[in-house]
């Protein structure tokens, strides 16, 4: 008994200490003391909500979290309604949502510049440190800043730590350390005058965002309506200092004092900031000529915008380049582009719902993405000779496009180039196509479009990505060349895996391949199907737990005419399945290429 009592006294302190650690107490207890209206939280480790014990919260004017505390819980100070200032020590590395007081009086907050933001998994929103009624005037950061932090707290002024090596504050706005780039504008600012000496206007400074309850980007600088760029600004950048997500601000006024901005910078502003009067914005630049709605930068002969209302338009003869979004959503029907134009940037005719005809210039050598996306009345296009690729999403959702002429110079069909378009299958026989990328000819028949019944892939085609031809209507596909670069799932579709597609290969059996669909399965059984092949005599199927099939595996065979199989084996776990066709030649099995898939458990 005496020995037991000695051991009990020996281990008792350790037991108490372990209990304190479990509660977040660390080396000592969490203590809350109140003196002259200031609540001070001291100790080591994490703080729990129940540890913040104050009798009269309405008398607290200031909250200080001392060094040593490492974590603050959700809604830690929400009930302190009269607080004017909160100071959170640099040792705090985890802060939960809604930690700050729900107080109209709260004006000053000091927090670490970098911490882990603790948001409940059940929440469908990133959240904030703030609560509904608070409107903070100034936020001070006592450690170097991480830009993600700024999505969690809003204020009129942001003051970074003097020890921060990346950023500094000028007038409560965050700039790069050398002051040449603007980084972040406080959320509550209604107007912004960029500091003199700043040379780069970074659009993320006003585009940075949080996420709303539907997980969409929610603009942080919602109140901002006016911006002034000083003479020192030379360039505009869209993505520098990007943190998590962004949204597009809407301004009533943007004053441009600088005369140094080139077309790229002007187009970046127009693409990222919504203006009620784009033409009024462009008139600030003395080198932008505006005639009949055609806004042209005389320095590089770039058409920046068409602001007119005519149905038939002709681009001026001196234009050499048409900038991004130049005719975005305009109600034009026809557009004539002179042969002086050598480049079309992204989204030039995007969503021009009434556009029926566009004549591309012979001198065109560069074309951006989404050039004619959603031009749903466009019915005929002669593609220019000077371009080797049909760009990404160039003719996406062109429902009426039934006549397309590709020159021999075209070798690549980029991603989604004709997705949800009405181009005929004969387009594959035009040009000199060598590569077809993901979703290039995908078709969602829920839009009421009719897909192809059959297609012929010419021998010139060397590479085809998976899901390049997503069409439920497809019944026959003929491959004339090698399948070495053609993905086995090139003709697969993702909405309904059941298919009646039959593949034909004009080259030898070695080039044959099918597409394996694993539909369902458990540890000991699997259901799958595949595309049929003209002339096939059967199928070899293997299952294994090893993706390389070098370990234990089992082999099965399916006869000609089968395109579906259910396997069950209580003694063998199946994680991977692969299949290849074979043809009997002189009594020997000649095999095609394997296609493998991974079993997804129910």
């Amino acid at each position: 008994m005496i020995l037991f009592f000695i051991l009990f006294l020996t281990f008792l302190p350790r037991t108490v200490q372990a209990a304190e650690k479990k509660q977040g107490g660390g080396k000592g207890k969490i203590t809350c003391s109140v003196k002259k209206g200031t609540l001070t939280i001291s100790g080591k480790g994490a703080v729990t909500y129940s540890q913040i014990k104050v009798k009269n919260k309405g008398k607290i004017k200031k909250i200080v979290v001392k060094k040593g505390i490492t974590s603050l819980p959700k809604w830690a100070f929400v009930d302190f309604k009269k607080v004017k200032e909160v100071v959170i020590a640099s040792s705090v590395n985890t802060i939960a949502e809604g930690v700050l007081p729900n107080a109209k009086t709260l004006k000053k907050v000091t927090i670490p510049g970098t911490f882990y933001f603790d948001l409940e998994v059940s929440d469908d929103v990133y959240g904030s440190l703030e609560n509904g009624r608070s409107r903070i005037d100034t936020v001070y950061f006592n450690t170097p800043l991480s830009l993600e932090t700024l999505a969690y707290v809003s204020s009129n002024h942001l003051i970074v730590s003097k020890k921060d090596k990346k950023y500094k504050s000028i007038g409560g706005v965050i700039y790069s350390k050398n002051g040449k780039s603007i980084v972040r504008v406080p959320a509550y600012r209604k107007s912004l005058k960029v500091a003199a000496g700043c040379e780069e206007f970074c659009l993320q400074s006003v585009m940075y965002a949080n996420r709303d309850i539907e997980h969409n980007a929610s603009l942080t600088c919602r109140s901002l309506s006016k911006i002034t760029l000083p003479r020192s600004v030379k360039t505009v950048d869209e993505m520098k200092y990007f943190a998590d997500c962004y949204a597009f601000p809407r301004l009533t006024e943007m004053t441009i004092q600088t005369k140094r901005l080139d077309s790229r910078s002007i187009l970046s502003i127009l693409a990222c900031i919504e203006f009620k009067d784009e033409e009024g914005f462009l008139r600030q630049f003395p080198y932008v000529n505006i005639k009949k709605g055609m806004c042209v930068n005389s320095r590089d002969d770039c058409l920046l915008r068409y602001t007119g209302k005519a149905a038939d338009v002709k681009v001026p003869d001196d234009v050499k380049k048409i900038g991004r979004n130049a005719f975005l959503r305009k109600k034009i029907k026809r557009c004539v582009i002179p042969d002086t134009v050598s480049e079309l940037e992204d989204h030039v005719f995007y969503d021009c719902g009434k556009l029926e005809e566009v004549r591309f210039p012979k001198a065109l050598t560069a074309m951006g993405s989404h050039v004619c996306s959603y031009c749903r009345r466009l019915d005929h296009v002669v593609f220019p000779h000077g371009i080797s690729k049909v760009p990404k999403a160039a003719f996406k959702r062109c429902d009426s496009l039934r006549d397309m002429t590709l020159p021999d110079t075209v070798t690549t069909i980029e991603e989604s180039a004709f997705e949800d378009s009405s181009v005929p299958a004969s387009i594959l026989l035009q040009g000199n196509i060598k590569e077809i990328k993901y979703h290039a000819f995908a078709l969602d028949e829920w839009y009421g479009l009719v897909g192809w019944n059959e297609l012929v892939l010419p021998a010139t085609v060397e590479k085809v990505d998976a899901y390049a031809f997503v069409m439920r209507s497809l019944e026959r596909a003929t491959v004339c060349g090698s399948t070495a670069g053609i993905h086995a799932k090139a003709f697969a579709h993702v909405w309904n895996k059941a298919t009646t597609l039959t593949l034909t290969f004009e080259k030898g059996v070695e080039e044959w391949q099918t597409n394996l669909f694993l539909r369902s399965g458990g540890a000991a059984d699997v259901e799958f199907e595949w595309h049929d092949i003209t002339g096939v005599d059967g199928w070899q199927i293997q299952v294994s737990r090893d993706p390389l099939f070098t370990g234990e595996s089992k082999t099965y065979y399916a006869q000609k005419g089968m395109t579906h199989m259910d396997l069950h084996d209580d003694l063998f776990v199946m994680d991977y399945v692969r299949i290849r066709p074979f043809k009997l030649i002189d009594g020997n099995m000649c095999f095609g290429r394997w296609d493998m898939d991974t079993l997804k458990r129910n």
Side-chain angles (χ1 to χ4, degrees), residues 28 33 63 136 182 233 280 314 382 424 469 489 521 525 561 600:
S33 61
I63 297 173
I136 305 165
I182 184 169
V233 173
K314 184 181 184 302
V382 176
F469 302 95
K489 289 179 171 42
D525 62 296
K600 298 176 177 62

Short mmCIF file of all heavy atoms in Angstrom, two decimals, residues 28 33 63 136 182 233 280 314 382 424 469 489 521 525 561 600:
data_model
loop_
_atom_site.label_atom_id
_atom_site.label_comp_id
_atom_site.label_asym_id
_atom_site.label_seq_id
_atom_site.Cartn_x
_atom_site.Cartn_y
_atom_site.Cartn_z
N GLY A 28 1.03 25.37 -18.98
CA GLY A 28 0.30 25.97 -17.87
C GLY A 28 -1.14 26.20 -18.23
O GLY A 28 -1.54 26.03 -19.37
N SER A 33 -7.87 37.32 -17.41
CA SER A 33 -7.89 38.35 -16.38
C SER A 33 -8.44 39.64 -16.96
O SER A 33 -8.24 39.95 -18.14
CB SER A 33 -6.47 38.59 -15.84
OG SER A 33 -5.61 39.03 -16.87
N ILE A 63 -9.35 43.48 -26.01
CA ILE A 63 -8.99 42.08 -25.79
C ILE A 63 -7.55 41.89 -26.23
O ILE A 63 -7.18 42.27 -27.35
CB ILE A 63 -9.92 41.14 -26.58
CG1 ILE A 63 -11.37 41.27 -26.09
CG2 ILE A 63 -9.45 39.68 -26.45
CD1 ILE A 63 -12.37 40.49 -26.93
N ILE A 136 -14.27 47.16 -39.16
CA ILE A 136 -12.94 47.50 -38.67
C ILE A 136 -12.34 48.62 -39.51
O ILE A 136 -12.41 48.59 -40.73
CB ILE A 136 -12.03 46.27 -38.72
CG1 ILE A 136 -12.67 45.11 -37.95
CG2 ILE A 136 -10.66 46.57 -38.17
CD1 ILE A 136 -12.04 43.77 -38.23
N ILE A 182 1.25 47.69 -56.88
CA ILE A 182 0.18 47.70 -55.89
C ILE A 182 -0.30 46.27 -55.70
O ILE A 182 -0.50 45.53 -56.67
CB ILE A 182 -0.97 48.64 -56.30
CG1 ILE A 182 -2.01 48.71 -55.18
CG2 ILE A 182 -1.59 48.25 -57.64
CD1 ILE A 182 -3.05 49.81 -55.39
N VAL A 233 2.55 54.99 -63.53
CA VAL A 233 2.16 53.63 -63.92
C VAL A 233 2.52 53.36 -65.38
O VAL A 233 2.14 54.11 -66.27
CB VAL A 233 0.65 53.39 -63.69
CG1 VAL A 233 0.22 52.05 -64.26
CG2 VAL A 233 0.32 53.47 -62.20
N GLY A 280 -16.15 56.00 -73.13
CA GLY A 280 -15.74 57.12 -72.30
C GLY A 280 -14.41 56.86 -71.62
O GLY A 280 -13.56 57.75 -71.50
N LYS A 314 -17.33 46.91 -90.76
CA LYS A 314 -16.08 46.68 -91.48
C LYS A 314 -14.95 47.27 -90.64
O LYS A 314 -14.96 48.44 -90.29
CB LYS A 314 -16.11 47.35 -92.85
CG LYS A 314 -14.85 47.08 -93.69
CD LYS A 314 -14.93 47.78 -95.03
CE LYS A 314 -13.72 47.44 -95.90
NZ LYS A 314 -12.43 47.80 -95.27
N VAL A 382 -14.77 30.01 -93.65
CA VAL A 382 -13.59 29.60 -94.42
C VAL A 382 -12.39 29.93 -93.54
O VAL A 382 -12.10 31.10 -93.28
CB VAL A 382 -13.51 30.33 -95.77
CG1 VAL A 382 -12.22 29.94 -96.49
CG2 VAL A 382 -14.72 30.00 -96.63
N PRO A 424 -20.12 19.01 -89.84
CA PRO A 424 -20.29 17.63 -90.30
C PRO A 424 -19.02 16.80 -90.09
O PRO A 424 -17.92 17.34 -89.96
CB PRO A 424 -20.60 17.79 -91.79
CG PRO A 424 -19.93 19.07 -92.17
CD PRO A 424 -20.04 19.96 -90.97
N PHE A 469 -14.11 12.60 -79.08
CA PHE A 469 -15.40 12.45 -79.77
C PHE A 469 -16.44 11.95 -78.77
O PHE A 469 -16.72 10.76 -78.69
CB PHE A 469 -15.28 11.47 -80.93
CG PHE A 469 -14.26 11.85 -81.96
CD1 PHE A 469 -12.97 11.35 -81.90
CD2 PHE A 469 -14.58 12.73 -82.99
CE1 PHE A 469 -12.02 11.69 -82.85
CE2 PHE A 469 -13.63 13.08 -83.94
CZ PHE A 469 -12.35 12.57 -83.86
N LYS A 489 -9.80 5.66 -75.26
CA LYS A 489 -11.07 6.28 -74.91
C LYS A 489 -11.37 7.50 -75.79
O LYS A 489 -12.17 8.36 -75.41
CB LYS A 489 -11.07 6.66 -73.43
CG LYS A 489 -11.13 5.43 -72.51
CD LYS A 489 -11.09 5.81 -71.06
CE LYS A 489 -11.38 4.61 -70.17
NZ LYS A 489 -10.75 3.36 -70.56
N GLY A 521 -18.71 -2.70 -59.20
CA GLY A 521 -18.02 -3.87 -58.67
C GLY A 521 -17.77 -3.78 -57.19
O GLY A 521 -17.91 -2.74 -56.57
N ASP A 525 -16.16 -9.00 -57.34
CA ASP A 525 -16.90 -9.06 -58.60
C ASP A 525 -16.83 -7.72 -59.31
O ASP A 525 -16.64 -6.67 -58.70
CB ASP A 525 -18.36 -9.45 -58.34
CG ASP A 525 -19.10 -8.46 -57.48
OD1 ASP A 525 -18.70 -8.30 -56.29
OD2 ASP A 525 -20.04 -7.84 -57.95
N GLY A 561 -18.69 -11.29 -80.66
CA GLY A 561 -20.06 -10.83 -80.47
C GLY A 561 -20.35 -10.34 -79.07
O GLY A 561 -21.34 -9.65 -78.84
N LYS A 600 -13.69 1.09 -59.54
CA LYS A 600 -14.17 2.03 -58.52
C LYS A 600 -15.19 1.30 -57.67
O LYS A 600 -16.23 0.87 -58.16
CB LYS A 600 -14.78 3.26 -59.18
CG LYS A 600 -13.79 4.05 -60.01
CD LYS A 600 -14.48 5.20 -60.71
CE LYS A 600 -13.48 6.02 -61.50
NZ LYS A 600 -12.82 5.25 -62.57
#
